[in-house]
Amino acid sequence: MAFNPLNWLLGLFSLDIGIDLGTANTLVMVRGKGIVINEPSWVAIEKKSKRPLAIGAEAKEMVGRTPANVVALRPLKDGVISEFDITEAMLEYFIGKAHEQSIVPVPRPRVVVGIPSGATEVEKRAVYDATMAAGAREAYLIEEPTAGALGAGLPVGEVRGSMIVDIGGGTTELAVFSMGGIVVSRSLRVAGDEMDQDIVAYIRNKYNLLTGERMAERVKIAVGSAYPLKEEKTIAVRGRNLVSGLPEAVEVSSVEIREALSGSVRTIIDTIRDAIDEIPPELIADLMEAGICLAGGGSQLLGLSERLSTELKMRVWVAADPLTCVVRGAGSILEDLDTNKQFLTSLDRGAS
């Protein structure tokens, strides 16, 4: 191929971005700079005009505190787009924010976006179209477990098997890899958000106390667990008493919250068991040696790795910086796009 000075200059100054477009948080990684954005996937809009008023951390602060004409929402549900125009505005904001950090003017960026492995063609197309409409020059899609495995440093391109379980806000993704491909995968719409709802329901049913999901999330992070703790903890939960209608605070223990989370944790364990049942014996031997890697925010639930190790009879370990595995994996694809195209997911009508 003849040398093209224009393509060479575009490659030299182009902005390459990896995005983990999560239900709970959106992370953006710029090649050569690392992770530059880590903000909640919230947008505050004016109800009538649908005009975005705040995006990210600023919008999340408004949750439950907005006037009647403003609503704060998450435009992604279970890892996929539920509000297209609002997602486009959010992506445009984050891509623009990453673009502003360039010292010299650069062309529109190349973008790799992580999507759930169970996404339909329609959902993939929605992510692709939103990314292009938000200002990308080229857009590529990568399944979240593949990106997470690359970000965690698993040997996905080797013959020996490796396995990752990525527990995010809206979905739990798991995949077994060998020779650069996925041998077995599952996408489960039970993850961090479902756990928050479990806590809200448990406290409402046991204490007649109505709490918000933000309070439930704080409780989950502080005292939530999947396995008995060496020293059990307690936390004050504030909300509105459903009988008196007045504010009230109750003290709940980590034992109670573990009971509240037991349903979701059991569903995740059963799904992993089901996937392991399909793995060829040779790969099972590899996994018994290498273990199962946990990634995503949900993997930080206290005692989860110990619970999984006990139930699955295998070593289970949490990746270094599990929250950023997917975005680091997505960003690494653009370091050598031609070599790494095998990891990208195809899209009908020539999207990739």
Side-chain angles (χ1 to χ4, degrees):
M1 185 185 286
F3 175 72
N4 187 323
L6 180 58
N7 286 342
W8 180 79
L9 281 170
L10 282 172
L12 188 63
F13 293 109
S14 67
L15 192 67
D16 290 340
I17 295 175
I19 298 178
D20 176 7
L21 188 61
T23 308
N25 293 284
T26 296
L27 289 85
V28 179
M29 180 178 184
V30 175
R31 184 162 65 92
K33 291 186 177 179
I35 298 166
V36 296
I37 295 168
N38 181 357
E39 293 199 34
S41 302
W42 283 91
V43 181
I45 61 168
E46 195 175 43
K47 278 186 180 176
K48 285 186 179 178
S49 66
K50 296 286 183 80
R51 180 173 61 89
L53 301 176
I55 296 173
E58 188 183 350
K60 188 176 182 180
E61 282 299 311
M62 298 179 180
V63 177
R65 299 170 173 145
T66 56
N69 65 322
V70 176
V71 61
L73 53 80
R74 292 197 293 189
L76 291 105
K77 183 174 174 58
D78 297 331
V80 294
I81 293 174
S82 59
E83 299 280 352
F84 182 85
D85 292 338
I86 299 170
T87 302
E88 182 190 322
M90 185 175 75
L91 274 170
E92 189 173 358
Y93 169 78
F94 288 135
I95 290 173
K97 204 169 175 182
H99 221 167
E100 285 170 8
Q101 301 187 23
S102 299
I103 299 170
V104 294
V106 292
R108 294 191 304 162
R110 296 189 303 174
V111 180
V112 174
V113 185
I115 58 166
S117 58
T120 64
E121 286 300 324
V122 172
E123 290 165 345
K124 290 179 186 177
R125 169 60 58 179
V127 174
Y128 175 83
D129 288 346
T131 306
M132 292 298 289
R137 180 172 92 252
E138 299 171 29
Y140 302 94
L141 307 179
I142 183 170
E143 293 183 348
E144 284 172 357
T146 304
L150 290 169
L154 298 186
V156 295
E158 296 182 12
V159 176
R160 63 192 173 106
S162 54
M163 181 174 181
I164 190 165
V165 179
D166 177 15
I167 307 171
T171 58
T172 294
E173 309 276 331
L174 64 96
V176 179
F177 300 91
S178 178
M179 298 175 63
I182 294 177
V183 180
V184 176
S185 70
R186 292 285 187 279
S187 183
L188 175 69
R189 296 191 177 186
V190 173
D193 289 349
E194 190 83 13
M195 293 180 189
D196 295 342
Q197 289 161 18
D198 288 344
I199 292 171
V200 170
Y202 181 89
I203 292 171
R204 182 181 64 237
N205 294 335
K206 184 166 184 179
Y207 294 103
N208 283 323
L209 191 71
L210 183 63
T211 60
E213 286 187 15
R214 288 189 66 189
M215 171 60 74
E217 184 182 27
R218 284 202 291 272
V219 171
K220 178 184 68 180
I221 292 168
V223 303
S225 63
Y227 201 71
L229 304 176
K230 289 180 181 177
E231 189 176 327
E232 299 293 354
K233 307 175 182 179
T234 61
I235 188 173
V237 180
R238 297 175 182 85
R240 187 176 77 244
N241 187 294
L242 291 169
V243 178
S244 67
L246 298 175
E248 187 180 329
V250 296
E251 196 87 6
V252 297
S253 70
S254 51
V255 177
E256 292 173 290
I257 300 304
R258 187 160 58 250
E259 183 186 338
L261 299 175
S262 60
S264 292
V265 171
R266 171 50 56 193
T267 302
I268 291 169
I269 293 170
D270 288 345
T271 303
I272 298 171
R273 277 178 180 271
D274 181 50
I276 289 173
D277 196 42
E278 288 186 24
I279 300 171
E282 291 80 5
L283 291 181
I284 284 285
D286 293 340
L287 295 182
M288 289 183 74
E289 185 180 333
I292 298 171
C293 176
L294 298 183
S299 69
Q300 296 176 306
L301 182 69
L302 295 174
L304 182 60
S305 58
E306 290 91 335
R307 172 78 180 275
L308 288 171
S309 293
T310 302
E311 296 251 1
L312 304 174
K313 311 297 183 194
M314 264 193 275
R315 184 171 75 93
V316 179
W317 50 282
V318 180
D321 200 3
L323 281 166
T324 65
C325 283
V326 171
V327 73
R328 283 188 282 122
S332 70
I333 291 291
L334 289 164
E335 290 175 8
D336 190 346
L337 187 58
D338 292 333
T339 303
N340 292 325
K341 271 195 173 176
Q342 61 171 317
F343 298 121
L344 297 171
T345 184
S346 61
L347 184 66
D348 286 350
R349 292 179 283 150
S352 63

